[in-house]
Amino acid sequence: MAAGGDRSAGDAGSPLAARLNYLFANMHPPGAPYTNGHVADEITNGEEYGEVGLTEQYLSMLRNGRRANPSPDVLRALAKFFAVPVGYLMGDLSASQAERVEEEVRFLVAMRDQRVRAIALRSVGLPPEVQDSLTTIICQFRQQMNLPSDPPDAGGEERP
């Protein structure tokens, strides 16, 4: 079991629990969120994760904050499974770096939608002023539908 050296946290609001729950909620195949059992089995049985043994129960404890200090091997395996930097789970990233990871996750989630991908791909190669016009048109549609001009958690940052 991966619980070796772990201390009880008793705090469901721990940063590790919050980050794991964020990844579970967002980093999964379309329409099929991962279960604790699935992730634990994949990590335990996958050669690419090394010799890490992870149980469904232990992963549940990490996600609900009852355990908050897993071994570095467990954190590396979880980070590899969810394709995020291990520093994100370890809490080693600055707030802006962690936000950048979550922004990339939101982007990947948006790209799951075939229609969103089609819109994005069709704008490739268009001059910047045309792309800006398309952004304005999309914002107008969102406003007409009483939606915020930017999707939730989009940050509103302009990209070069």
Side-chain angles (χ1 to χ4, degrees):
M1 182 169 178
D6 201 343
R7 69 180 191 283
S8 291
D11 178 12
S14 77
L16 175 61
R19 288 180 176 147
L20 280 173
N21 287 323
Y22 181 81
L23 293 172
F24 268 85
N26 293 288
M27 292 295 288
H28 56 77
Y34 291 126
T35 64
N36 292 338
H38 175 80
V39 174
D41 287 345
E42 288 290 318
I43 288 173
T44 298
N45 298 317
E47 289 181 24
E48 66 269 28
Y49 304 105
E51 299 287 321
V52 175
L54 186 60
T55 67
E56 178 178 357
Q57 296 78 14
Y58 184 67
L59 187 51
S60 175
M61 287 189 281
L62 290 173
R63 290 185 64 196
N64 69 29
R66 291 181 47 217
R67 299 280 187 224
N69 192 19
S71 73
D73 289 340
V74 168
L75 290 174
R76 278 191 288 276
L78 286 165
K80 184 172 196 142
F81 180 86
F82 287 109
V84 296
V86 71
Y88 175 72
L89 292 177
M90 294 178 90
D92 289 345
L93 301 181
S94 69
S96 64
Q97 290 170 322
E99 175 57 33
R100 179 72 179 156
V101 170
E102 291 175 359
E103 182 180 312
E104 289 175 11
V105 168
R106 287 189 296 273
F107 172 77
L108 291 173
V109 169
M111 288 295 108
R112 281 188 205 145
D113 186 320
Q114 183 177 353
R115 290 182 182 116
V116 171
R117 279 195 315 271
I119 291 167
L121 290 171
R122 286 185 176 114
S123 71
V124 172
L126 295 174
E129 60 275 5
V130 173
Q131 291 177 347
D132 291 343
S133 294
L134 290 172
T135 299
T136 300
I137 291 167
I138 291 170
C139 288
Q140 289 171 348
F141 275 117
R142 292 184 65 82
Q143 186 177 26
Q144 287 174 1
M145 300 180 83
N146 293 321
L147 297 170
S149 58
D150 287 321
D153 297 316
E157 269 186 64
E158 293 204 19
R159 299 210 174 209

